[in-house]
Amino acid sequence: MKPTLVLYFCILSFTFTFGQNQKGNLADIKSKYSLIRELVDSNTLRQYHTDYTCEESLEKGMITFYYNSRELKHIIHQYTQGHVSYKDEYYIWDDQLFFEFSTHKVKYKDYEKNRKKRIEKIDVVLTLEERFYFDNFEPIKCQFKDFETRSNRTKNPRTNYVRNQTTDCDQSGRIIEKYYILLEYQDLDIVDACELPRSIAKIVSDDIIYSSLGKN
């Protein structure tokens, strides 16, 4: 067999094995996620909750840690800044972050003509979502989606019916950094809330927000 042919089959075999391993890892992540969600939704896990305010930016937020006995399973960091609300969720198994899910909602007003051709003011909510999947702290899949709901529409998109877009994982390092920073607040009062880690998608989010508002 020619060397080039041998190399081709080696690459093909590696690609197939890698794909199979990734599918298995993603299936394992989904199973762990479903179990933790069931425990959280049934109010089974012990909670440690704290509120905070950042006076510099007039920002308010809260952090909640969820424990199964002494084992940390879930972290939620929610905060608002002006008309934007953020929710960052971290899912943990055996002290390892395996999934992170962020939701940003931007509320603003817009004007449209109604059926009578009169200008009316409507409420608009722009939603941006990110999903990061990890295996041993290495990103194996990263996704993004955005959609808009408007108060004058009878049918608006729902997140379950909006397709995720696969993106690069260049922000995964900052996700892990945020995760470790939040871990430090499990047993401490928040002294300087303005130093808490913020959304990692600010640049991407701002681009989409300003584009939707027609400011680009």
Side-chain angles (χ1 to χ4, degrees):
M1 186 178 290
K2 295 182 179 181
T4 53
L5 208 55
V6 173
L7 180 61
Y8 169 76
F9 280 112
C10 288
I11 294 174
L12 188 64
S13 176
F14 173 79
T15 303
F16 177 78
T17 303
F18 177 79
Q20 290 296 103
N21 289 340
Q22 188 180 54
K23 286 183 179 178
N25 289 336
L26 288 173
D28 184 52
I29 288 172
K30 291 179 181 178
S31 296
K32 291 174 179 175
Y33 167 83
S34 297
L35 177 58
I36 293 175
R37 281 299 341 153
E38 183 177 344
L39 293 172
V40 171
D41 294 339
S42 62
N43 204 27
T44 302
L45 301 179
R46 180 172 59 87
Q47 298 181 28
Y48 172 76
H49 174 86
T50 183
D51 298 315
Y52 69 84
T53 301
C54 173
E55 295 182 358
E56 293 179 9
S57 59
L58 301 178
E59 177 183 298
K60 295 182 179 180
M62 63 183 70
I63 303 176
T64 307
F65 298 90
Y66 294 82
Y67 301 88
N68 182 23
S69 185
R70 294 184 178 181
E71 185 178 1
L72 180 64
K73 289 296 184 185
H74 186 38
I75 305 172
I76 296 180
H77 182 201
Q78 294 177 269
Y79 50 100
T80 58
Q81 193 169 24
H83 296 288
V84 186
S85 62
Y86 302 86
K87 184 177 182 181
D88 300 334
E89 300 186 55
Y90 305 81
Y91 292 83
I92 302 106
W93 198 275
D94 291 335
D95 297 324
Q96 289 195 358
L97 175 68
F98 69 88
F99 181 58
E100 194 268 358
F101 174 42
S102 292
T103 305
H104 307 170
K105 292 182 180 291
V106 186
K107 297 180 180 180
Y108 63 96
K109 304 290 184 181
D110 198 4
Y111 296 87
E112 286 187 4
K113 287 184 179 180
N114 57 27
R115 293 181 178 180
K116 297 181 179 179
K117 295 186 177 181
R118 293 178 179 174
I119 299 296
E120 64 177 359
K121 185 166 63 175
I122 60 175
D123 298 317
V124 184
V125 178
L126 174 64
T127 300
L128 303 97
E129 296 180 357
E130 286 184 326
R131 291 167 173 82
F132 287 78
Y133 301 79
F134 294 94
D135 179 35
N136 291 321
F137 288 105
E138 290 294 329
I140 59 175
K141 190 175 185 179
C142 304
Q143 297 178 315
F144 180 84
K145 74 168 67 172
D146 64 280
F147 56 94
E148 187 180 78
T149 59
R150 306 177 78 87
S151 60
N152 62 338
R153 292 178 183 171
T154 55
K155 292 184 179 181
N156 276 299
R158 297 181 181 180
T159 182
N160 292 339
Y161 299 99
V162 179
R163 181 174 296 181
N164 280 301
Q165 302 175 35
T166 300
T167 64
D168 58 46
C169 297
D170 58 351
Q171 295 284 350
S172 59
R174 294 181 64 188
I175 290 243
I176 295 172
E177 182 182 355
K178 275 180 38 174
Y179 164 69
Y180 278 120
I181 292 174
L182 290 176
L183 288 180
E184 298 176 2
Y185 290 90
Q186 292 181 79
D187 301 314
L188 300 173
D189 292 329
I190 299 175
V191 177
D192 188 356
C194 300
E195 293 186 356
L196 281 167
R198 297 299 185 258
S199 172
I200 61 106
K202 179 175 175 52
I203 296 175
V204 176
S205 299
D206 286 351
D207 287 345
I208 294 176
I209 290 167
Y210 285 119
S211 177
S212 298
L213 293 174
K215 295 182 179 180
N216 273 347

